[in-house]
Amino acid sequence: MDTYRKSAAFAGVLFLVATAAYMSGNALIESILGASDYLERAADYQSRIVLGVVLEFINSVSVVGIAIALFPILKLCNEKIALGYVGFRVIEAVLLLVGSVGPLLLVALSREYAAADVSSDLHVLGTLIKEGSTYAFQLGMLALGVYSLFFCYLLYRFRLVPRVLSVLGFIGYAALSASAITELMGHDGMLLYIPGAVFELALPLWLMIKGVKLPEGAR
């Protein structure tokens, strides 16, 4: 297995790690903070929330690792786009980490809530923290969705993977961008996540099993 094959396979593993880590971490966090009485409960479930945040941290590290692992391959096609892909995945990771601070702040706020005589202001603050985390996440998804269209362009233009997979990527990341904008505008865009989710399951499996077809002259 050559260097590029290993890089592709490693990127595939990181795609799956990022997906599993985020879904697990978000599920743990939302099981507490998604309830109407989250301020009463958060402090009592601090360990669960912290574990969820740690898993989201693993996701953030993984998404940067994906871009770094794929950089040697994408560089063969277009170095500027390859560098941009790394940069935008770093931006995504930073925004996701900013969003992950919110649950930790809500744990601290929950302690204050238990000791407070007047809780209405703390409810307002809690809502603002939750909204801030949501906005950071959606901006991260927007960064991912927009620049990943260039990533899919390289996949398609140089036939690094089957073109049907590249087209699915175009559709998925365009839908993800639209979903992020829709959510930022206060509407439900969850269904638009589906094409991107399918792509980010199909692509890593292909990378792990088949690898990539390198551009002519790159071997």
Side-chain angles (χ1 to χ4, degrees), residues 33 38-39 42 49 53 98-112 125-126 128-130 133:
L33 301 185
Y38 68 93
L39 278 181
I49 293 172
V53 170
V98 169
S100 294
V101 173
L104 299 178
L105 292 176
L106 289 171
V107 170
L109 189 65
S110 177
R111 295 197 194 96
E112 295 299 320
L125 182 56
L128 289 175
I129 292 172
K130 291 180 72 174
S133 291

Side-chain angles (χ1 to χ4, degrees), residues 10 13 19 37 48 65 76 81 92 120 131 151 154 168 186 202 204 211:
F10 185 54
V13 171
T19 298
D37 60 347
R48 184 183 298 185
L76 299 173
I81 292 179
E92 175 198 354
S120 58
E131 288 295 317
F151 167 60
L154 294 185
L168 177 60

